[in-house]
Amino acid sequence: MNHAWQLALKNLRRNRRRNVATAVSIALGFGGLVLIGGYAVRVERFLRTNTVYLQQTGHLSIYKEGGLERGTAQPATYALSAEEQQVIATVLSARPEVEFFGRHLVGMGLAGNGCTTLPFAALGVEPGVQARALTHPEVLLASPELSRPVKGELIARYPAVEGAVALSAGLAELLGKTRVHDEVPAAAAQAEVVLPDCTTKEGRGALAHDANVQLAGLTWSGSMSAVDTEVVNVFHTPLAETDDGTVVASLQTLQSLYDTDAISYLSVYLRDARDTSRMRGIIEDAIRAAGVPVRAYTFDDERVGPYYAGTMPFLSSLVGFIGLLVAAVVVLSIVNAMTLSILERTRELGMLRALGFNRRQVLGLCLREAALLTALAVGVGLLIALCVAAMVNNGNVRFSPPGVPGTIQFMLTPTPALCAALAAFIVPLSVAAAWLAVRRTTRAGIVSLLSSHSS
Amino acid sequence: MLLAITALLTLGAAQAPTPAASATVDVVQILRDSDRLRGGLKDGITWSIDVESTEDGVTTKASYLVRSRGDDALAETLAPPRSKGEKMLFNDRTLWFLKPGLKKPVSISARQKLSGQAANGDIASTNYARDYDATLAGEDPVDGVPCWRLELKAKAGNVTYDRIRYWVAKDQRRALKAEFLTVSGELFKTATFAYGNVVTLAGAPVDFIKAMTIKDAMGSGASSVLRFGSPKSEAHAPSVFNVNNVVR
């Protein structure tokens, strides 16, 4: 058997120009597939990370039955009470697949600066859980730009600051809050708050002298409420349309605003994202069995992660179509090269048959040649792709994805699994193409092969 | 003295419109007169307002002490206990919400829900003559009382309602009924007004508003009743309505 492979390798050294051309074609095709795949992996990871960790839906979001659909209109009815939270926490803590989980409260209201108010949508987080999510290795790899505040530090770093909140960049600008807590001199922060004269330019400019913002809203029982907060960081939201009106506050602050100890949902972060679909049912059943009527949603559910769910099918179809075109080019190259090679070597094949090689052995020889050529080309193509990816990644090319505020780095991240999968696809494809090209010739009789005038 | 005479003349006109006046109806004056009977006194008034709302089968109650003067009003929450001390300050058309311990007031909307069907503006924004352009749309009786039917359109975007159909009794120029409409003309709330309080203005007793019942017109069955108690004509200093003073 080894002899057959050696013979195939020796044969490859003949007709070097054509074989090199074929190998280059396969290498570029494979490299192209690796780069396209690397882009798809990058985008998928970016979207998944944004949804799971930055928007803090978790791989799974656990709502009270009906809470996702009706929780905004009737928060008190569809929230998870303190007792229910305890039951769910017990269930989640017992699952080794769960890395960590967090409690969240969502709400709306008005953010004021003493002159004007603007509407906001707020997410209440447990500061420690938020810090863990935003510094998760997945986030640092896929979305470091959006995980870092534009200014200031994460809420968890300010345990002594009462009502520490983070404002989205657009909202902070609209409120005139150009400085965060760390940028306000201590003396100014402790000074008695003076209401600005909102009718003058100087008065409006004075809004930036402190980082104090008031959040107002209706409590769940329907009465007006407001809390003082201190802006400790400004951040970009994962979606541009929410950048002018998002507040992230500690769970405690929002619960105080809405006068409740309940939460809207729990986010569950799994150790392995591939477990998401499987764990959805397991965790939901376990919590329901513990007596809390909940529904668990995966991050790719369009009701929880509409941006992810809406973008991925489009991206998949686009990458799939381009990949199909590249694969077609590779197949045609192989078929073309092998057809020409066989035509040139028809009498040689007849000689091999005359020396005692049967049809199968001759066919095997041709297929081995194709497999070796493709393997070689795949290695070269992989090298080319990795070099190109490294150059692109080191070039720090930045772009603004649609719907995302600010810029992110254009990156190509071909993973070992992707490269292996593509190689496992392209090598058999090449061999199949070679088989298509040579099968007819190898079926011919010895005399017919020897009398051929092709070579 | 001049003020008293003016008030008496105005009141007299309100209580007994002449046939000539009916023929050429001054709708702005009708609004001014009806505003006065709903609390829009230029010098000031102090009264309590109890709001009882029923929504989704749940009834909530709140009480406010309201002081107003011309275009300004200050409503202080007396109940429920968790909201005690919270204040809403109406400066012209700007509405501030304040609560004890809050460093700065929060500017809120008069349209925002106060309780049930009652909006913030319902407890103090009585100045329809200032906030709305009025036209006479016809004459309809309300519970047998002959009324003018006025169409009111908001002059600015920050008033409580975009459009109001407003029925004002011809005899004493008391507002008896209102329909609140969206900017596109869709009816979403109705209100009826009841009178029975007595306020002495310029030495004469005046029949004053006692209750305003607001009902959802979209079919939810929700309603709110605003009960006005102990109205007292009282001159308030402008400083009472200065936001800097209220914050302190």
Side-chain angles (χ1 to χ4, degrees):
Chain A
M1 199 61 159
N2 284 340
H3 184 71
W5 284 103
Q6 284 171 6
L7 190 61
L9 189 61
K10 280 181 181 172
N11 274 339
L12 277 183
R13 288 176 186 156
R14 301 161 63 200
N15 292 318
R16 279 192 183 178
R17 187 179 293 176
R18 186 186 308 117
N19 284 337
V20 166
T22 307
V24 167
S25 170
I26 296 171
L28 291 179
F30 180 74
L33 286 176
V34 168
L35 291 174
I36 291 168
Y39 177 69
V41 167
R42 155 65 170 158
V43 174
E44 191 279 335
R45 186 177 277 168
F46 175 77
L47 293 174
R48 174 162 44 85
T49 302
N50 283 355
T51 304
V52 172
Y53 295 99
L54 301 190
Q55 293 179 4
Q56 296 185 61
T57 64
H59 294 101
L60 297 172
S61 301
I62 298 174
Y63 286 82
K64 196 164 189 174
E65 182 91 59
L68 182 63
E69 298 83 6
R70 295 185 282 275
T72 305
Q74 296 169 271
T77 307
Y78 292 100
L80 293 162
S81 68
E83 294 75 23
E84 290 169 333
Q85 294 166 41
Q86 190 59 48
V87 171
I88 296 171
T90 305
V91 171
L92 294 176
S93 300
R95 301 299 315 192
E97 299 89 345
V98 175
E99 189 178 359
F100 61 99
F101 57 90
R103 298 178 300 148
H104 301 280
L105 181 61
V106 294
M108 294 174 291
L110 295 168
N113 58 9
C115 277
T116 187
T117 52
L118 294 163
F120 71 77
L123 174 67
V125 298
E126 294 177 275
V129 173
Q130 187 207 26
R132 193 167 174 185
L134 296 188
T135 55
H136 195 276
E138 280 272 325
V139 177
L140 299 181
L141 182 70
S143 195
E145 297 92 346
L146 293 177
S147 69
R148 284 191 299 264
V150 179
K151 278 182 183 182
E153 301 287 340
L154 296 178
I155 295 171
R157 308 269 157 78
Y158 303 89
V161 176
E162 196 176 343
V165 296
L167 298 187
S168 58
L171 180 60
E173 188 180 337
L174 291 168
L175 286 172
K177 293 296 169 184
T178 54
R179 290 198 283 187
V180 295
H181 178 74
D182 287 344
E183 297 172 321
V184 177
Q190 287 163 5
E192 188 181 345
V193 174
V194 178
L195 289 183
D197 180 358
C198 306
T199 58
T200 66
K201 192 178 176 183
E202 293 74 22
R204 288 191 294 275
L207 295 173
H209 291 172
D210 60 54
N212 184 248
V213 165
Q214 285 65 45
L215 302 184
L218 289 177
T219 65
W220 285 8
S221 59
S223 57
M224 194 71 197
S225 176
V227 292
D228 268 312
T229 63
E230 182 80 357
V231 182
V232 295
N233 80 58
V234 172
F235 63 98
H236 276 309
T237 59
L239 299 176
E241 58 260 37
T242 55
D243 211 42
D244 285 346
T246 301
V247 171
V248 175
S250 71
L251 185 63
Q252 189 184 8
T253 300
L254 273 201
Q255 285 180 330
S256 169
L257 177 63
Y258 299 120
D259 191 29
T260 179
D261 60 358
I263 60 167
S264 307
Y265 74 97
L266 280 107
S267 57
V268 181
Y269 302 85
L270 301 175
R271 294 185 194 283
D272 190 339
R274 290 171 296 185
D275 286 337
T276 303
S277 294
R278 184 174 65 87
M279 291 306 296
R280 191 200 70 77
I282 293 172
I283 287 178
E284 184 180 289
D285 291 345
I287 297 171
R288 292 179 82 95
V292 183
V294 297
R295 287 290 302 274
Y297 301 87
T298 57
F299 68 90
D300 56 357
D301 188 311
E302 64 181 1
R303 290 165 292 183
V304 173
Y307 195 58
Y308 180 92
T311 306
M312 282 314 295
F314 169 72
L315 182 73
S316 302
S317 57
L318 186 70
V319 169
F321 179 67
I322 294 172
L324 203 64
L325 291 180
V326 173
V329 169
V330 170
V331 167
L332 287 176
S333 296
I334 292 281
V335 168
N336 185 46
M338 291 307 290
T339 303
L340 286 173
S341 176
I342 292 299
L343 282 174
E344 285 176 359
R345 293 164 58 193
T346 308
R347 290 176 69 183
E348 178 194 326
L349 296 181
M351 183 67 73
L352 288 172
R353 292 289 311 280
L355 287 172
F357 282 70
N358 61 26
R359 284 186 179 125
R360 191 171 173 180
Q361 285 171 321
V362 172
L363 180 63
L365 182 67
C366 294
L367 297 185
R368 282 184 178 86
E369 286 179 31
L372 284 172
L373 186 68
T374 308
L376 191 70
V378 161
V380 173
L382 181 62
L383 203 62
I384 294 170
L386 293 180
C387 287
V388 170
M391 282 194 294
V392 168
N393 295 345
N394 289 332
N396 193 22
V397 181
R398 306 191 74 78
F399 73 109
S400 298
V404 176
T407 62
I408 65 165
Q409 187 181 352
F410 178 74
M411 288 179 77
L412 301 167
T413 53
T415 59
L418 170 76
C419 297
L422 287 173
F425 166 70
I426 207 91
V427 173
L429 189 70
S430 296
V431 172
W435 176 78
L436 272 176
V438 304
R439 67 188 171 113
R440 191 173 169 189
T441 306
T442 55
R443 281 179 190 163
I446 297 172
V447 176
S448 171
L449 291 169
L450 288 171
S451 61
S452 170
H453 297 285
S454 301
S455 55
Chain B
M1 184 62 181
L2 182 64
L3 195 67
I5 294 168
T6 308
L8 278 171
L9 287 174
T10 309
L11 204 60
Q15 287 172 338
T18 63
S22 299
T24 54
V25 176
D26 182 348
V27 288
V28 175
Q29 192 57 49
I30 293 172
L31 275 186
R32 284 188 187 135
D33 294 341
S34 65
D35 283 347
R36 273 168 48 84
L37 303 180
R38 291 191 304 109
L41 301 183
K42 192 176 177 184
D43 290 335
I45 186 171
T46 301
W47 54 5
S48 65
I49 301 179
D50 295 330
V51 182
E52 185 176 320
S53 297
T54 304
E55 199 169 25
D56 298 327
V58 179
T59 299
T60 55
K61 292 179 181 178
S63 297
Y64 304 88
L65 175 68
V66 179
R67 285 173 283 179
S68 65
R69 177 183 187 273
D71 296 335
D72 297 326
L74 178 65
E76 182 175 351
T77 309
L78 304 175
R82 89 166 280 281
S83 302
K84 192 171 166 59
E86 293 176 354
K87 292 171 185 171
M88 277 190 286
L89 175 65
F90 298 72
N91 275 161
D92 200 0
R93 286 178 184 147
T94 306
L95 175 53
W96 299 98
F97 173 76
L98 309 95
K99 66 181 276 190
L102 198 66
K103 288 179 180 175
K104 291 176 190 166
V106 183
S107 169
I108 58 175
S109 167
R111 299 180 184 208
Q112 199 165 349
K113 177 177 167 178
L114 171 75
S115 172
Q117 291 303 299
N120 290 331
D122 287 325
I123 62 167
S125 296
T126 50
N127 206 336
Y128 285 3
R130 176 200 59 176
D131 292 340
Y132 295 90
D133 288 320
T135 53
L136 183 63
E139 297 182 3
D140 289 329
V142 174
D143 294 333
V145 178
C147 290
W148 287 297
R149 190 177 82 243
L150 308 181
E151 292 283 348
L152 311 185
K153 276 191 179 174
K155 290 178 180 174
N158 57 352
V159 298
T160 313
Y161 302 105
D162 285 312
R163 290 174 57 185
I164 304 174
R165 279 193 207 116
Y166 199 46
W167 283 263
V168 180
K170 288 182 175 178
D171 57 354
Q172 294 183 330
R173 300 201 169 186
R174 297 181 304 180
L176 295 183
K177 179 181 163 186
E179 291 180 349
F180 303 113
L181 300 97
T182 63
V183 72
S184 60
E186 192 178 355
L187 176 68
F188 72 104
K189 282 199 285 192
T190 61
T192 53
F193 304 90
Y195 294 77
N197 278 319
V198 177
V199 173
T200 304
L201 293 177
V206 176
D207 191 15
F208 225 65
I209 189 166
K210 189 169 188 180
M212 176 182 183
T213 303
I214 307 171
K215 290 183 178 172
D216 175 44
M218 314 287 277
S220 74
S223 65
S224 292
V225 181
L226 284 70
R227 293 188 180 86
F228 302 86
S230 313
K232 190 167 65 175
S233 173
E234 196 170 35
H236 297 294
S239 60
V240 171
F241 308 101
N242 183 305
V243 66
N244 287 290
N245 295 335
V246 179
V247 170
R248 292 190 186 107

